[in-house]
Amino acid sequence: MRKILIVGNWKMHLNASQASLLVHRLQENVKIYRDIEVVLAPTMLTLQPMSVQLDRRKFRLAAQNAYFKDEGAYTGEVSFTMLRDLAHYVIVGHSERRHIFGEDLPMIRDKVAASFRNGIMPILCVGETKQEKDDGETKQVLHDQLMTALSNLTGDEVERMVIAYEPVWAIGTGDVAKPAQAAAAVSYIRGYVKDVFGEKAAADVRILYGGSVVEDVIHGFLNVPGVDGFLVGGASLNYQSFAGIVNSTRRWQREQEGDNGE
Ligand code: PEP
C-alpha cells in the first residue's frame, strides 16, 4: 500500500493555547495508521511546545518557512539550522510567501538547498495563478518553478523530498481543482523529475495536491495515479475536518485493499 502524506498548514492562526487544544483533540481523534503520515505545520511560536506535546507515533512537525542563511544579522528570521531538532519538514515556496512576501525563484532555490544542508525535508510548493491558468501557461510556470528550485539538487535528494502542487486559484477559495487538472499537473511534475533526475527520483518523490481540500473531495484525488497526499490549509484548523480527512483516507486505503472493516 502506497503511503499517503497529509500535511496541515495552520498558517498564521492559533496562539499557543489554541494550538495545544487542537493537538489534544487531534490526538484523540486520529489513530496511528501505518500507511498514513500526518504532519502539522503550526506557527514558529508553537513548534517548540508542540514538539513536547505531540505523540510522535501519530504526528510529525513542519515549519511553515525558514530563512536560507544558517545564522547572522537577519532580524526577525529563523534559520533551518535552528529548526533541525524540531521540524521534520519545512514548507518552502508557498504561494503566500511568493506573492505576499515577494519570495522569488532564487530565494526558493536557496531555501530548498538550506533545507537539505540542515537535514530537513523540504515540502516545495509549486502552482500557477488563475491568470496563468487562463493564459494556458500552467506547464511553463511549473517548469520554471521546478527548474530553479531543484537546480542544485542531486537525484538522491529529489527522491526524498515532497512537492506540493498548489494551484494559487484554489488556495483558500473553495474553488478546488478537478482531479483531472491535478492529474495533468502531477504527471507533468513527475515527468520533469524523470527527465532531469531519472526514473528512481520520479518514482519516489512524493507529490501532494493542495487547494481547498476538504474530506468530501479527497477520494477523487486519491484515485489519481501519482497523488501521494494533501497539503491542507483551512480544513486543518478544525479537528473534526482534519481528522475526517485522515480517517477518510484510511477508509479509501481499506477499499483498495478490498477490506471494508474498521
Ligand atoms: C495551503 O495553505 O497550502 C492551502 C492549500 O490552503 P487551503 O486548504 O485553505 O486552500
Side-chain angles (χ1 to χ4, degrees), residues 16 19-20 43-54 61 86:
S20 171
T43 67
M44 210 59 102
L45 183 69
T46 45
L47 272 172
Q48 174 73 50
M50 274 180 61
S51 75
V52 178
Q53 185 186 2
L54 270 191
L61 280 173
L86 276 180

Side-chain angles (χ1 to χ4, degrees), residues 154-218:
T154 64
D156 176 58
E157 287 170 330
V158 173
E159 78 186 40
R160 289 181 290 127
M161 71 182 287
V162 179
I163 300 174
Y165 170 59
E166 294 214 305
V168 180
W169 47 269
I171 297 177
T173 59
D175 188 11
V176 64
K178 292 186 175 57
Q181 290 171 307
V186 166
S187 149
Y188 178 79
I189 293 168
R190 233 177 256 286
Y192 178 89
V193 171
K194 184 174 170 197
D195 289 347
V196 180
F197 297 98
E199 302 255 1
K200 179 147 175 41
D204 289 355
V205 65
R206 287 168 293 167
I207 306 182
L208 311 182
Y209 168 74
S212 294
V213 168
V214 290
E215 183 181 341
D216 288 352
V217 303
I218 63 169

Side-chain angles (χ1 to χ4, degrees), residues 100-112:
I100 302 172
F101 299 100
E103 291 194 8
D104 59 9
L105 296 177
M107 177 174 284
I108 291 162
R109 173 199 62 207
D110 291 347
K111 289 188 173 196
V112 170

Side-chain angles (χ1 to χ4, degrees), residues 9-11 91 94-96 125 164 166-167 170-174 209-214 231-236:
N9 174 17
W10 293 358
K11 311 196 186 195
I91 299 172
H94 192 281
S95 72
E96 287 150 18
C125 300
E166 294 214 305
I171 297 177
T173 59
Y209 168 74
S212 294
V213 168
V214 290
L231 180 48
V232 184
S236 69

